[in-house]
């Protein structure tokens, strides 16, 4: 595979994401049965929390992976750390969904979608829009010592930040309602 093409780099990072997802599924198979009570308590606390901390926490959840990928593009370490970050993103996403499914059965997937669905629909494409060129820049820095980051590089960050902020706003507006509806149905 020629990693010089953007599609090839996307597929390569996608393999790391998929590997992380598979590892997350394997690790979630070892969740103890007492996790159900803990997860139910977490969901009750999650729905009860409102105020200033909610927006900040949600912002961190939205921006952590895309922003980390962007920043790693400025370091030669990004050549190794961007694929690792991609695998970690896949792992934690998969592990979380599998824990919901293991504890709550098939309804757990619906519950996970209510908690994380909108966020993932926004952050996944945004992550890869930043990770692919960041990884390329880090690899170029490794080979030549310096990568050129033009206007397009910064414009992409601006567009992705706007999309993340729109997703964050939508989640803050819709997620409490969605989660309450699912929790009522499941009687958690």
């Amino acid at each position: 595979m020629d990693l010089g093409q953007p599609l090839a780099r996307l597929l390569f990072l996608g393999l790391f994401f998929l590997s992380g997802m598979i590892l997350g599924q394997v690790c979630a198979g070892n969740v103890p049965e007492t996790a159900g009570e803990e997860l139910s308590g977490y969901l009750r606390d999650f729905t009860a929390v409102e105020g200033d901390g909610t927006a900040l926490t949600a912002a961190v959840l939205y921006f952590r992976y895309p922003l980390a990928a962007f920043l790693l593009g400025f370091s030669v370490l990004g050549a190794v750390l961007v694929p690792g970050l991609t695998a970690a993103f896949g792992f934690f996403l998969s592990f979380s969904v599998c824990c919901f499914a293991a504890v709550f059965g098939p309804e757990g997937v619906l519950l996970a979608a209510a908690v994380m669905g909108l966020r993932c629909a926004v952050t996944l494409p945004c992550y890869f829009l930043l990770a692919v060129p960041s990884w390329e820049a880090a690899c170029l820095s490794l080979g030549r010592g310096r990568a050129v980051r033009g206007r397009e590089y910064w414009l992409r960050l601006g567009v992705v930040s706007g999309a993340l902020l729109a997703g964050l706003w939508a989640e803050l507006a819709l997620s409490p309602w969605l989660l309450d509806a699912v929790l009522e149905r499941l009687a958690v």
Side-chain angles (χ1 to χ4, degrees):
M1 176 184 334
D2 177 22
L3 293 177
Q5 299 299 318
L7 181 59
R9 289 189 295 273
L10 175 64
L11 291 173
F12 185 75
L13 289 177
L15 289 174
F16 276 87
F17 186 81
L18 181 63
S19 299
M21 287 185 70
I22 292 168
L23 185 59
Q25 289 176 350
V26 169
C27 290
N30 298 324
V31 174
E33 295 195 15
T34 59
E37 295 170 15
E38 294 172 16
L39 196 52
S40 293
Y42 165 77
L43 288 172
R44 280 190 295 277
D45 292 344
F46 183 82
T47 57
V49 172
E50 291 186 26
D52 298 334
T54 304
L56 180 61
T57 301
V60 168
L61 292 174
Y62 266 79
F63 281 88
R64 65 181 168 182
Y65 289 112
L67 188 58
F70 178 80
L71 293 174
L72 286 172
F74 290 98
S75 170
V76 294
L77 293 175
V80 175
L81 294 179
V82 169
L85 179 67
T86 305
F89 192 2
F91 173 85
F92 289 114
L93 174 61
S94 176
F95 183 80
S96 300
V97 173
C98 289
C99 284
F100 277 102
V103 171
F104 299 110
E107 290 86 11
V109 176
L110 180 63
L111 192 55
V115 173
M116 298 179 289
L118 180 60
R119 183 180 335 129
C120 290
V122 174
T123 59
L124 276 171
C126 288
Y127 173 78
F128 282 105
L129 277 170
L130 292 178
V132 171
S134 292
W135 185 54
E136 176 188 18
C139 289
L140 287 173
S141 295
L142 183 64
R144 293 187 220 155
R146 187 160 190 227
V148 177
R149 291 165 190 87
R151 184 172 186 246
E152 182 181 320
Y153 196 77
W154 294 98
L155 183 61
R156 184 178 287 120
L157 175 64
V159 169
V160 164
S161 295
L164 291 171
L165 285 172
L168 174 62
W169 176 82
E171 180 169 319
L172 290 173
L174 298 175
S175 282
W177 174 80
L178 260 171
L179 186 58
D180 284 341
V182 171
L183 287 174
E184 283 178 19
R185 180 176 176 222
L186 300 178
V188 173

